[in-house]
Structure formats: structure tokens, C-alpha cells
Amino acid sequence: MGLIQAAVGSIGGALADQWKDFYTVPDGLPSTAALFAAVPRGTNAGRGSNTRASSNIITNGSRIVVPEGYGLLLMQDGAITGFVAEPGGYEWNSNDLNSKSIFFDGGFVEPLIRQSWERFKFGGQPGSQQAAFFVSLKELPDNRFGTQSEIYWDDGYLNAQVGAITRGSYTLKIVDPILFVKNFVPAAYLQPGQVFDFTDLDNAAASQLFNEVVGSLAPAFSLYTNDPAKGNRITKIQQDAVGFAQSLSAVVENAYQWRSDRGLVIAKTAIVSIEYDANTKELLKTVQRADALSGARGNSNLQASVAQGIQSAGQNAGVGGLMGMGIATGGLGGLAGLQQPVAPAPAPAAAAPAADDPVAKLTRAKQMLDAGLITQADYDAVKAKALGL
């Protein structure tokens, strides 16, 4: 009985596999699908009879259409036999006996009888396994990362170790499909009907990538913020999707060899949020304030503060208040120094005038009047006091 069933199965299967197939991308694929088997279209709009062919045999003369953004990987008995990276229509042609067809290889009796006999030896099943897989060559989106607690890195901008909780996403790109399939994709996904998706929570291989990315975030932040070409500014990360992706990809490659061993790279990143810890926030405020008050801007702020203080003292205490602030003992020279911070120091005078010299007092008061630091009434008061009027 078993022999009869095997004979019927082998003849029926050999007949069904004589039809040429038309292979395309399966329906309903997610945009994050990385690898999946090409599927034959047995029917189209109610027409077609090729519905009983073997799932692991591709008949000679069959057409495989490769869409834009995908590569075609061919396999025979578990081994990769070819790869196509250009879109277009391709014709399958194999020397394997199971692929021969009366519609393509010529003859009617010889291919059919030989296939039936060979399949009879395997209980009616074909003794070969052929498969065609599509590999996405596009950027694969929506690979998310996040840290539950703070990560810490040495920050070149703050010149200290800083900590933050961060969240974001990245896109992956398969740059070497053969390495990707040989070294990374589990065998369970090299079957018809299976889809390898990096965002699938049940995909253990994809989960491993997620863990490796999270473990690489701290050194990637450090690499980015300590790169002089990036300006040592952590604030630029959220505006530099490609730049930070290069830093993250470099760290991942150094630690886990994604490109060289798995044929994968991180193409772009999107940092959704960076939440600094309390110490880093305080440090960031201090450094930002120091930045704002450095250079010419800080000099201008200091001059404005001094002038405001002089004006307030003059309003509250008259000329005496001004003199009490040290203006009468050379304060104007200090203001001149603020206005020209980079000028060389003048040669020392032969002797400083006495503090109670009326000429010196009037000279300084006149300079202050001309500079707008005191009013005419203030000057007149100083003049009257100096001259004893």
C-alpha cells in the first residue's frame, strides 16, 4: 500500500511541477520586513491551474520578479547559489533533475519518468530543496531603543561625566545580504511563509540587536560629544541624525562587528528625548551661563553692570556715593580698561596725584561728565566742594 501511495504521489507531484511558476513578493508584508521567501502565484484573477506544485521546487523557465529596493537570494539544498541586486524579471534555470520541465527542457517522457522514479525513492517527495528569498536593501525603520535608568559618559562640552535617560529609534540597512543570511538569520526563517522582521518582539535575533544597541549608547554619546568635528555639543545630537548614527554604528561595529560579521549597519538615528539627571542639569546651567558671559559679550555685560552700579550710587548718595565707590581714586581708568581689554598697559606715570588734589578731582569729574556717568549738577557739586565755594 505504501508503494502504491508513493508511486501515485511521485507521478502526481512530477506532473504538477512541470508547470512554469511566476514568483513575486507575498501580500501583506510589513514595511520592516528584512527577509522572506518568494511566493508563486498559482492563480490570478480566477485564472491559472498551477496550485499543486511542490513548495520547495522551482521549475525551469519560471519567472521571478525582483522589485525595486530588494535583492534576490537563491538557495539549493541549503546552500546559497546566487544573488541578484538589480530589479527586473529573471528566469530560473537549474541542472537539478527536479527543476526540469517538459515545457522548458524539451521532450515529454524522459524528464517526467526520471523525476517520478527519483521521487519514488523519497516516498513521493522531491529529493531536492530549492528556494528564492527576497532581501530588503532599503532602510528598515522603527527600530526603537530606550534606557530605563541613566547611562553615563564623559562629555567634552561639559568637561565632566554626565548622565541621562534617552529614547529614540534608528534605521537598519542590510549591506551584505549573503553575510546576513549565513551568519545571523536563524534557520527557522529560511522557510516558505516565514518573515524575518527586526521589530518582531518574538524574534530573538532582533532582540539581541536591541540589547547590543542599548549597551553601545553610552560610548556612542561619548564618541560624539568628544569629537571636535561635531563641536563637542551634546545639543547637536538631536539635529544630526546621520552624525550620531555614524558614532553609534562605529561603536557597535567595534564591539559586535555588525558590518563585518553580519552585513548590517545603522543608517540613521532619531533621538526623541534626552533627560539629564539632576547633577548634570545644574552643571549644564553653570556652563551655559559661563558661555554666555565669555568673550566680548561678557565684557559688555560687565561694563553695563559697572555703569548701572555707578548710576545707582550717584542717585542714592550723590557725588559722595560716587567717590565712595572708588571712582574718585582712579575708577574711570578701570572703565577705560574694560572698554579696551586687549590693549597693552600704559607706561607707569611718574607719580599719582594726591587724592585731595582739587585739580585731580575736577579732572576726573570732568571725564565722568563727558562719559555720561554723572550729570552737570553732580559735576558742579564736585567743583564747588573742590574749590571750597
Side-chain angles (χ1 to χ4, degrees):
M1 190 67 181
L3 290 177
I4 295 175
Q5 289 178 344
V8 172
S10 62
I11 295 173
L15 283 171
D17 286 336
Q18 299 304 303
W19 295 102
K20 296 181 182 181
D21 298 308
F22 185 81
Y23 285 83
T24 58
V25 173
D27 296 327
L29 276 176
S31 60
T32 51
L35 176 76
F36 46 89
V39 295
R41 297 292 185 184
T43 60
N44 183 15
R47 295 184 297 275
S49 302
N50 190 15
T51 59
R52 301 180 64 186
S54 301
S55 60
N56 59 344
I57 293 297
I58 303 176
T59 304
N60 280 348
S62 296
R63 296 273 290 178
I64 304 177
V65 176
V66 182
E68 289 281 358
Y70 292 93
L72 178 65
L73 199 68
L74 305 177
M75 300 187 73
Q76 170 82 32
D77 296 331
I80 297 174
T81 58
F83 177 72
V84 175
E86 296 295 325
Y90 295 87
E91 189 174 87
W92 176 272
N93 188 7
S94 172
N95 293 325
D96 189 275
L97 175 64
N98 291 284
S99 290
K100 294 185 177 298
S101 168
I102 61 177
F103 301 113
F104 183 79
D105 298 289
F108 184 84
V109 176
E110 193 265 348
L112 189 59
I113 291 177
R114 289 185 62 194
Q115 281 187 35
S116 299
W117 172 242
E118 290 298 321
R119 295 186 184 197
F120 177 77
K121 296 177 184 179
F122 290 92
Q125 299 293 325
S128 299
Q129 186 179 52
Q130 299 164 338
F133 291 92
F134 289 114
V135 182
S136 178
L137 304 179
K138 305 176 182 181
E139 289 186 30
L140 298 167
D142 204 31
N143 301 282
R144 302 182 183 184
F145 64 83
T147 58
Q148 295 181 348
S149 58
E150 290 85 356
I151 57 173
Y152 291 88
W153 69 91
D154 294 326
D155 194 290
Y157 168 53
L158 299 177
N159 196 29
Q161 187 182 72
V162 301
I165 296 174
T166 182
R167 289 185 293 275
S169 64
Y170 59 93
T171 63
L172 279 173
K173 192 172 179 65
I174 301 171
V175 294
D176 192 327
I178 295 176
L179 270 181
F180 175 65
V181 171
K182 278 188 172 183
N183 295 348
F184 190 68
V185 177
Y189 290 96
L190 300 177
Q191 302 291 334
Q194 297 296 315
V195 176
F196 186 95
D197 188 340
F198 288 110
T199 64
D200 185 0
L201 297 178
D202 295 326
N203 186 339
S207 298
Q208 177 64 28
L209 294 182
F210 169 83
N211 293 333
E212 291 174 2
V213 167
V214 172
S216 301
L217 285 175
F221 276 115
S222 182
L223 180 63
Y224 186 93
T225 57
N226 288 281
D227 183 357
K230 304 293 193 301
N232 299 127
R233 296 281 181 160
I234 188 66
T235 53
K236 289 187 176 181
I237 283 185
Q238 290 174 283
Q239 308 166 17
D240 190 5
V242 175
F244 182 66
Q246 292 171 347
S247 297
L248 183 57
S249 188
V251 171
V252 166
E253 177 63 22
N254 182 61
Y256 304 104
Q257 292 77 51
W258 276 25
R259 178 189 282 271
S260 55
D261 284 356
R262 300 169 178 172
L264 289 170
V265 297
I266 295 174
K268 292 184 179 66
T269 58
I271 306 295
V272 177
S273 66
I274 301 175
E275 301 174 8
Y276 294 108
D277 63 11
N279 292 336
T280 303
K281 288 179 180 178
E282 289 301 318
L283 179 60
L284 188 58
K285 288 180 182 179
T286 303
V287 173
Q288 287 174 335
R289 187 180 299 112
D291 278 356
L293 297 177
S294 64
R297 178 184 296 177
N299 197 24
S300 298
N301 284 333
L302 184 56
Q303 290 184 46
S305 298
V306 171
Q308 180 64 37
I310 293 173
Q311 183 177 358
S312 299
Q315 291 173 351
N316 295 333
V319 179
L322 292 173
M323 298 305 171
M325 291 184 65
I327 297 301
T329 59
L332 192 62
L335 288 175
L338 287 175
Q339 294 168 351
Q340 298 178 354
V342 295
D356 57 351
D357 184 355
V359 177
K361 289 183 178 181
L362 288 175
T363 300
R364 283 193 291 272
K366 185 62 167 67
Q367 291 174 338
M368 294 171 63
L369 175 64
D370 293 340
L373 298 177
I374 62 175
T375 65
Q376 183 64 45
D378 293 330
Y379 174 74
D380 291 341
V382 173
K383 180 179 178 181
K385 185 174 181 179
L387 300 178
L389 300 178

